[in-house]
Amino acid sequence: MSELSINGLRKSYGATEVLHGLDLEVSGNEFVVFVGPSGCGKSTFLRSIAGLETISGGSMTIDGADISGLEPDRRGVAMVFQNYALYPHMTVAQNMGFALRMAHVPKAEIARKVREVAEILQLEPYLDRRPMDLSGGQRQRVAIGRAIVREPKVFLFDEPLSNLDADLRAHMRLEIIKLHRHQKGISIYVTHDQVEAMTMADKIVVMRDGNIEQVGSPLDLYNEPVNRFVAGFLGTPRMNFLDATSTGVANWRLGLKVGGMTLSPPIRPDADALPEAGAPLSLGVRPDGWRIVAEGDGLAGRVVHAEQLGRETVVFIELEHGPQVAMIQPGQYRLHSDDAIWLAPAPDELHLFDASDAALPVARIPRTNSHN
Amino acid sequence: MAQPPTHHRRDTISALTLLAPAMILFGAFILLPLMQTFAWSLYRYEVFGGVKEFVGLDNFAKLAGDEVFGIALINNLKFAVLSVVLQVGMGLVLAALLDRGVRRFKVVYRTIIFAPILVSTAAVGLLWSLILNPSIGPVDDWLGLIGLSAPRNGLLGEPAFAIYGVIFVGAWQYTGFMMVILLAGMQNVPEETYEAARMDGCKGLRAFFHITLPTIRNVIITCCLLTVIGAFKVFDLVYVLTNGGPGNATEVLASYIFRNAFEFGQIGYANALSVVFLAIAFVFGLIQFRMIRR
Amino acid sequence: MKSLAFFPRTRRMAIIMHLFLLGYVAVILFPLSWVVIGALKTNREMFLDPTGLPADPNWGKFIEAWNAGVRDFFINSVVVSGVSVALIVIASALAAYALTRMNFRYSGWVYLLTVLCFAIPVHAVLVPIYGLLSDLHLLNTHLGLILPYAAFGLPFSIILMYSFFYEFPAELEEAGKLDGCGPWRRLWFVVLPLSRPVLISVAIFNLVGVWNEFLLATIIMTSKHMQTLPLGLVSFRDQYGTDWPGTLAAISIGSLPLLVLFVIFQKYFVRSMAGMGK
C-alpha cells in the first residue's frame, strides 16, 4: 500500500505558468489515468512527479516523505517513456538492469531480478538481444520491465502505447492492467485517448489548460461530468449539445424548450440551484440517449449518413432547427440518407449545463452505480 | 516487373546519358591513371615522356631497403596515432562542453573553434612556420621566459621535435572539425534517453560515459577513420612547414612520392611508393565507406 | 530544454568550463590575430617585438599584397573552385539519380565502381595524372585543375546523394508521373527542388576541399600566374621572404574569402561538414 499526495503543485516556464496548483490524492493500488487534450499539462504533471521537471510551488509526498526536491532515482518512481527510450547499445538484460547497476547492486542480484522480471514479461528469449532487433511490442515490454525491476512505489507511463498499431495497443492495454494488478503499486498513466482512460483507469483525472477539471472513476465521470468539457471529452461519439431555454419550474418538473420540442423532466430531490425562466442552458444528450419517436413527437431531422456496424447503428442526423447530432441505436436499422426521422432524449439521459458550462444536476436521475 | 522492352531500352539510354559525365571523369582521371601507376611501378622511368625500362619488381625490392621510406612510414604512423588522440580526444571534450556543459556563448565558441578548417592548410602551415620562426615568431621568446632555450634553428629545425610540431599544427587545424562532427552526433542522442538515464540514477559524467559515448560510437569510429586517413594523406603541412626536413626527419609518404617523381626524377620508384600508399589508403577508404553506409 | 548536464550546474563549474573554452579559443585566435596584426607592422617591429602592437599601423601592405599577386591567385581560385564545384554537384546529382531511380541493369556495378574510386586517393595516381595532363596540354590551365578536382570530388558526392535519393519517397515521383512529367522533368521539377539540403551540403564540402587543395595544384600549376591561393601564398613567401609584413598581409587576405562565406552561411557549413561523420 503506497500513498501519493500532491498539494498545490505549480510549474512555470519563465513567466508562463503551465500547472496552476494541482491537488491529487492517490492511495492503495490505484491505476490513475491523466487524460486531456494536447497541451493541457498532463505530461508536465507526470514529469513533475517523476522529477524530470523542477516544480515552482507546492509539495509532493510518497508515503508521507516529501519527494519534491529529490533526484528522480531517489523518489521510488519508475517511468515508461513514449518512445521507450531504451539504450540502443545495451542488450535487453543490460537495459533492464541498468538502474540497479547505477545503484551498485551486486551483479548476481541484478541478474536474478532481471531474470525474474523477464519471466513475468515473457522476455527470457530476448535477454541478449539489442532493442534494434526487437518488435515494437517487445520494446514496449522491455521498457516496462526496466521499470518493474526497480520495484518502484509509483509507476509512471507517458503515452506508452501511442506508437503501436490498434491491435497491439488493445493487447498491451490489457497486459499493462494485468501487470499493475500483479505488482501492487500506484500506476499513473498519461494519455490523450479517452478510450484508454475509460478502459484502464480506476481513477481518471481530466485536465485542461493546466487545471484538473474532475477526478473520479470512469463511470462517475461518464455519468456525472461536472462541466460541459468533461461531458464532451469522454465517450465516442461525443455527447451532443443543443441550445435550450428554461421555462421555469412547476410541479417538481423543469420546463425546457429545445428547438420545436418541449421537455419537462422531473427535478432531482437534491437539486439546489434551479434555473430561472428564460435562462439559456445547454442540453447534453449522449448518442445512446436518443429514442426514435413517432412523427411529430420530438425533434424533426433528416438522416445525413448511417454507419451500419451490425451490432449497432450510428446515425448522423441534421435537425430541422439547425444542429447536427449523432445517435447510436443497438441493432440494425436500415436508414438511408435524407430519410426523415423524429428523436427525443430519454428522460434519464438529460445533462444540463448553465451559461458558464457548469453542470446543473437538476433533472437527471443518477444511475445506480455498482462500482462503489 | 515486366516492362515492354522499348521502355527498358529507353531507360537504359537515359541512365547512361546521366551517368556519362561522372563515368568519363572516373575513367580518365582515376581508373586509367590507377592502371598506369601499377604498370609504371614495374619500370625504371626517369624523365616524363622519356625511356621506360622494364625492371619487374626491382622498385619494390628497393623499397624494402630504403631508410627514408621507413622514416616516412613511421612518421605517418606517429601522425595517425597522435592525431587521433589529440583531435578526436580534444574534439570529444569540446563537444561535451558545448553539448551539455556550458549554457551560454555556445555558437560563438563553436564558430571560432571550427574556423581553422576553413583556412587552407597551406596558409595554416605558413602562419605557424612564421610563429615558430626563431627570428620573428613569439614562441621562442616564450620558451625563453620559462627558462628553456629554443633550438637555434627554431623548433621545426630540431630533427627530434619537428614531426611533433607538424602534428600539433595539424591538430590545431582539424580539432574543430572533429568537434563539429562529434557535437552533431551528440545532439542526435534523444532527450528521452537522457531522461531515462536520470530515472535510472545515471547523470553527469557517468551519463557521458555510460550513455553518450556508446550511443555515438559509430560517429567516433568515423572520426578516427577520417583522422587516420588524413594522417596518411598529409602533404601540404609538411611541404610548407618543414619540406620534409631537417634532413629527412619529417618526410611522409606523400611528400616522398612527390619528391621522387618531381624532384629526383625517379618516376618508376615514385609509382612503386604510390602502390604501397594505395594499399594502405584503400583499406581505410573501404572501412570508411562501410561506416557511411552503415 | 536539456534535462541532464555532464557537469554540475554550479557557478564554479560554469566558470571553470568557460575558462577552459576561452583558453582553447585563445589558442585558435592568437595565431590568426598575430598574422593580421603582423601585417600592420614594420619589418623592424617584427624582429624587435614579435607580439607587440604596431606603433603606426600600415594598412597599405594589404593593398600591396593584393596587387603583387594575391589578386591573380584569388581569380584563379574562384574560377577553378566555382567551375569544379558546379561540375561536381551537377554530375553527382545526375549520376545518383540514374543509379537510384532508373531501371538500369548495371546500377550495382556502377555504384561499386564509385566506391572503388572513393577509396583511391589522389596521391596514388599523381604521376600518371601529370603525364596525362601534359599529353593533353592542360598543364598550367584552369581546365587542367578543374577536371581532376571534379573526378576526385565526385565519388563521395555520388555516395551521399545516392543515399539521399534512395530514401526519397517514391510517391512524390509517382505523383509527378501521373501529372505527366518525363524523367528529366521529374528530376528538374520534383526531385532537385526537394534535394536542396543535400545539394548545398555537397557544394560546401567540395568547395572547402577544392578551395584549399594543394598537392594537385602544386604539380599542375607551375607557372606563377596560374596558381591558386594556397599555392600562391607559399610562393609569395618564397619570393618576398624577408618582407614579413607583406607575407602576413597576403596570408590574411588570402584566407579571408572562405571565412567570410562561413560566417554568412554558418548553418549550412556546419551541417555540411558535420555530415561527414554520418
Side-chain angles (χ1 to χ4, degrees):
Chain A
M1 277 289 270
S2 303
E3 203 166 340
L4 169 68
S5 165
I6 293 164
N7 288 303
L9 184 125
R10 288 175 187 281
K11 166 77 189 168
S12 328
Y13 293 110
T16 337
E17 191 173 81
V18 292
L19 298 179
H20 312 292
L22 307 179
D23 300 310
L24 184 67
E25 299 286 335
V26 186
S27 61
N29 305 323
E30 280 183 304
F31 196 101
V32 182
V33 175
F34 294 174
V35 68
S38 64
C40 70
K42 56 190 188 294
S43 272
T44 311
F45 189 13
L46 187 84
R47 292 163 55 82
S48 301
I49 300 171
L52 293 172
E53 305 278 354
T54 40
I55 59 175
S56 0
S59 69
M60 298 181 277
T61 59
I62 291 179
D63 292 345
D66 188 6
I67 57 161
S68 355
L70 295 181
E71 278 296 313
D73 57 310
R74 297 291 164 85
R75 293 184 171 205
V77 302
M79 183 147 161
V80 177
F81 289 84
Q82 181 168 14
N83 299 310
Y84 321 135
L86 298 176
Y87 309 117
H89 56 285
M90 295 183 201
T91 64
V92 168
Q94 287 168 333
N95 262 287
M96 288 171 46
F98 188 62
L100 301 181
R101 192 172 140 213
M102 287 295 107
H104 304 292
V105 173
K107 270 190 183 147
E109 175 147 4
I110 297 178
R112 188 182 57 76
K113 280 195 171 162
V114 167
R115 220 172 313 115
E116 213 175 277
V117 173
E119 198 177 325
I120 300 173
L121 291 165
Q122 291 152 13
L123 282 169
E124 296 133 303
Y126 310 111
L127 281 176
D128 291 326
R129 298 223 194 142
R130 284 177 205 278
M132 217 176 67
D133 305 318
L134 300 178
S135 70
Q138 288 164 342
R139 284 180 207 184
Q140 183 66 72
R141 292 219 295 277
V142 178
I144 294 171
R146 172 167 73 178
I148 296 177
V149 166
R150 296 180 45 200
E151 298 172 358
K153 294 173 177 163
V154 181
F155 284 91
L156 306 171
F157 296 87
D158 190 4
E159 307 220 18
L161 303 184
S162 53
N163 288 333
L164 303 178
D165 65 40
D167 275 352
L168 197 51
R169 202 154 55 216
H171 175 73
M172 287 304 298
R173 249 171 15 211
L174 204 60
E175 291 287 304
I176 290 176
I177 289 295
K178 269 162 58 187
L179 266 173
H180 167 76
R181 303 257 181 277
H182 183 264
Q183 290 301 315
K184 309 236 190 314
I186 295 170
S187 291
I188 299 180
Y189 187 106
V190 162
T191 181
H192 62 270
D193 179 354
Q194 52 97 8
V195 176
E196 267 176 26
M198 293 296 284
T199 51
M200 301 176 82
D202 295 323
K203 186 188 255 182
I204 295 182
V205 176
V206 181
M207 293 184 66
R208 176 169 62 157
D209 296 339
N211 287 307
I212 293 178
E213 297 285 309
Q214 192 173 2
V215 180
S217 74
L219 290 182
D220 286 348
L221 265 55
Y222 187 82
N223 294 333
E224 302 275 343
V226 295
N227 58 30
R228 202 177 137 157
F229 174 78
V230 176
F233 194 77
L234 300 175
T236 39
R238 289 157 51 96
M239 182 186 276
N240 301 292
F241 294 103
L242 298 173
D243 291 337
T245 319
S246 156
T247 57
V249 180
N251 297 332
W252 288 98
R253 285 175 178 273
L254 172 65
L256 286 175
K257 245 175 94 77
V258 187
M261 175 179 63
T262 54
L263 293 169
S264 49
I267 292 172
R268 239 163 91 158
D270 58 343
D272 38 18
L274 296 167
E276 292 165 21
L281 300 172
S282 182
L283 170 69
V285 183
R286 294 215 182 264
D288 53 351
W290 295 110
R291 301 287 173 264
I292 298 178
V293 293
E295 193 171 331
D297 239 6
L299 294 164
R302 289 195 171 277
V303 173
V304 177
H305 177 64
E307 294 176 352
Q308 312 278 0
L309 298 174
R311 190 179 50 195
E312 62 194 25
T313 310
V314 182
V315 194
F316 296 94
I317 296 156
E318 194 173 286
L319 294 179
E320 206 162 59
H321 73 283
Q324 180 175 307
V325 296
M327 171 179 79
I328 297 179
Q329 291 290 307
Q332 304 181 355
Y333 287 78
R334 288 172 202 277
L335 290 165
H336 300 99
S337 297
D338 261 1
D339 284 355
I341 195 166
W342 275 263
L343 322 163
D348 58 352
E349 286 290 350
L350 296 180
H351 294 260
L352 279 176
F353 304 94
D354 65 15
S356 65
D357 286 345
L360 287 173
V362 171
R364 233 178 69 78
I365 298 161
R367 290 184 190 183
T368 43
N369 212 334
S370 62
H371 173 79
N372 298 332
Chain B
M1 193 171 65
Q3 279 194 336
T6 47
H7 254 247
H8 208 111
R9 190 174 310 153
R10 214 179 59 193
D11 258 20
T12 304
I13 291 167
S14 304
L16 285 175
T17 319
L18 293 175
L19 286 167
M23 292 304 111
I24 291 170
L25 286 168
F26 283 177
F29 291 96
I30 303 183
L31 298 173
L32 176 70
L34 181 69
M35 304 294 166
Q36 287 172 316
T37 293
F38 281 120
W40 293 353
S41 69
L42 305 175
Y43 287 82
R44 188 209 305 281
Y45 182 15
E46 291 177 346
V47 187
F48 274 103
V51 197
K52 299 190 198 74
E53 179 197 340
F54 186 80
V55 292
L57 295 174
D58 276 11
N59 285 325
F60 292 94
K62 190 172 145 200
L63 264 177
D66 185 347
E67 200 184 318
V68 183
F69 170 68
I71 294 174
L73 206 55
I74 286 172
N75 278 337
N76 278 121
L77 280 173
K78 280 183 187 166
F79 217 109
V81 173
L82 288 175
S83 294
V84 165
V85 173
L86 289 174
Q87 297 177 24
V88 183
M90 187 52 125
L92 272 171
V93 172
L94 293 169
L97 283 173
L98 293 192
D99 185 35
R100 282 160 195 278
V102 295
R103 298 212 247 185
R104 288 148 161 265
F105 311 119
K106 290 184 191 187
V107 177
V108 181
Y109 285 133
R110 191 192 64 188
T111 308
I112 296 173
I113 295 173
F114 183 67
I117 187 75
L118 299 164
V119 179
S120 69
T121 308
V124 168
L126 276 180
L127 92 85
W128 277 98
S129 73
L130 296 176
I131 288 184
L132 296 171
N133 180 309
S135 48
I136 60 158
V139 171
D140 284 36
D141 295 358
W142 292 345
L143 284 178
L145 284 181
I146 56 169
L148 293 170
S149 67
R152 190 150 35 93
N153 300 319
L155 289 168
L156 294 174
E158 184 59 41
F161 177 81
I163 187 68
Y164 302 107
V166 179
I167 291 170
F168 167 79
V169 176
W172 182 86
Q173 183 174 23
Y174 279 91
T175 300
F177 179 36
M178 291 302 134
M179 178 204 72
V180 164
I181 297 176
L182 292 163
L183 183 58
M186 288 185 192
Q187 285 167 344
N188 274 338
V189 180
E191 192 57 34
E192 240 188 17
T193 308
Y194 286 115
E195 289 179 346
R198 278 187 71 191
M199 299 296 299
D200 283 343
C202 175
K203 55 175 192 159
L205 276 179
R206 273 175 122 191
F208 179 71
F209 288 108
H210 284 291
I211 310 291
T212 314
L213 285 188
T215 310
I216 64 164
R217 182 176 153 267
N218 280 344
V219 180
I220 296 172
I221 295 176
T222 303
C223 281
C224 292
L225 274 170
L226 280 173
T227 308
V228 170
I229 293 173
F232 274 92
K233 288 186 179 173
V234 63
F235 173 77
D236 354 7
L237 262 191
V238 171
Y239 185 85
V240 177
L241 277 174
T242 60
N243 200 16
N248 292 105
T250 56
E251 205 73 80
V252 288
L253 282 177
S255 65
Y256 196 46
I257 294 174
F258 176 84
R259 209 183 292 279
N260 270 289
F262 300 97
E263 283 176 19
F264 305 158
Q266 297 274 348
I267 299 172
Y269 188 57
N271 278 303
L273 286 165
S274 295
V275 170
V276 174
F277 185 89
L278 182 74
I280 298 169
F282 199 75
V283 172
F284 287 121
L286 288 186
I287 302 175
Q288 190 195 0
F289 169 75
R290 285 292 297 268
M291 294 305 299
I292 331 173
R293 294 283 304 160
R294 258 209 279 291
Chain C
M1 179 57 192
K2 298 199 162 159
S3 72
L4 184 148
F6 291 144
F7 305 95
R9 280 187 173 144
T10 58
R11 205 179 155 69
R12 197 157 128 209
M13 196 63 220
I15 292 171
I16 294 172
M17 290 190 291
H18 279 291
L19 282 179
F20 182 88
L21 285 166
L22 284 173
Y24 192 87
V25 162
V27 173
I28 298 297
L29 285 187
F30 171 75
L32 297 177
S33 49
W34 184 80
V35 171
V36 179
I37 292 168
L40 303 172
K41 302 208 270 197
T42 62
N43 237 355
R44 206 179 127 72
E45 282 172 318
M46 293 284 314
F47 279 102
L48 291 179
D49 181 8
T51 46
L53 292 173
D56 176 23
N58 177 14
W59 298 93
K61 277 293 173 194
F62 291 108
I63 297 162
E64 230 173 85
W66 176 255
N67 287 328
V70 175
R71 183 184 50 215
D72 293 343
F73 307 147
F74 177 75
I75 292 171
N76 289 331
S77 272
V78 169
V79 172
V80 169
S81 308
V83 179
S84 49
V85 168
L87 202 58
I88 291 170
V89 171
I90 294 169
S92 63
L94 295 182
Y97 183 72
L99 291 178
T100 50
R101 290 298 154 125
M102 289 190 162
N103 194 353
F104 178 51
R105 196 179 313 171
Y106 304 106
S107 292
W109 289 106
V110 174
Y111 189 63
L112 199 68
L113 191 78
T114 308
V115 175
L116 187 82
C117 289
F118 168 69
I120 297 170
V122 67
H123 311 54
V125 292
L126 221 45
V127 176
I129 283 187
Y130 179 82
L132 176 70
L133 290 172
S134 159
D135 291 346
L136 295 171
H137 301 289
L138 286 177
L139 293 179
N140 287 311
T141 64
H142 289 141
L143 194 61
L145 206 47
I146 289 167
L147 291 177
Y149 278 175
F152 281 91
L154 271 172
F156 186 58
S157 308
I158 293 179
I159 291 169
L160 258 198
M161 295 232 200
Y162 181 92
S163 46
F164 181 84
F165 286 161
Y166 198 82
E167 280 158 28
F168 191 88
E171 290 86 359
L172 276 172
E173 255 201 279
E174 282 159 3
K177 252 186 219 173
L178 293 177
D179 288 338
C181 293
W184 291 93
R185 281 160 43 117
R186 284 205 301 276
L187 176 64
W188 185 252
F189 288 111
V190 182
V191 179
L192 287 185
L194 291 168
S195 313
R196 252 189 52 177
V198 75
L199 295 177
I200 292 174
S201 281
V202 166
I204 288 178
F205 75 71
N206 278 299
L207 176 68
V208 175
V210 166
W211 184 270
N212 293 332
E213 203 283 338
F214 191 78
L215 180 54
L216 267 177
T218 307
I219 62 164
I220 294 168
M221 301 305 205
T222 46
S223 89
K224 195 180 172 217
H225 72 281
M226 289 308 292
Q227 289 181 337
T228 52
L229 270 170
L231 216 48
L233 296 182
V234 175
S235 55
F236 199 97
R237 172 189 65 173
D238 297 344
Q239 186 176 352
Y240 299 91
T242 47
D243 177 11
W244 301 115
T247 306
L248 293 174
I251 297 176
S252 311
I253 51 177
S255 303
L256 211 56
L258 218 50
L259 287 173
V260 171
L261 278 185
F262 167 56
V263 171
I264 300 173
F265 298 109
Q266 200 188 138
K267 193 176 77 183
Y268 299 100
F269 269 77
V270 169
R271 196 167 61 197
S272 167
M273 300 304 275
M276 302 277 287
K278 280 225 185 89

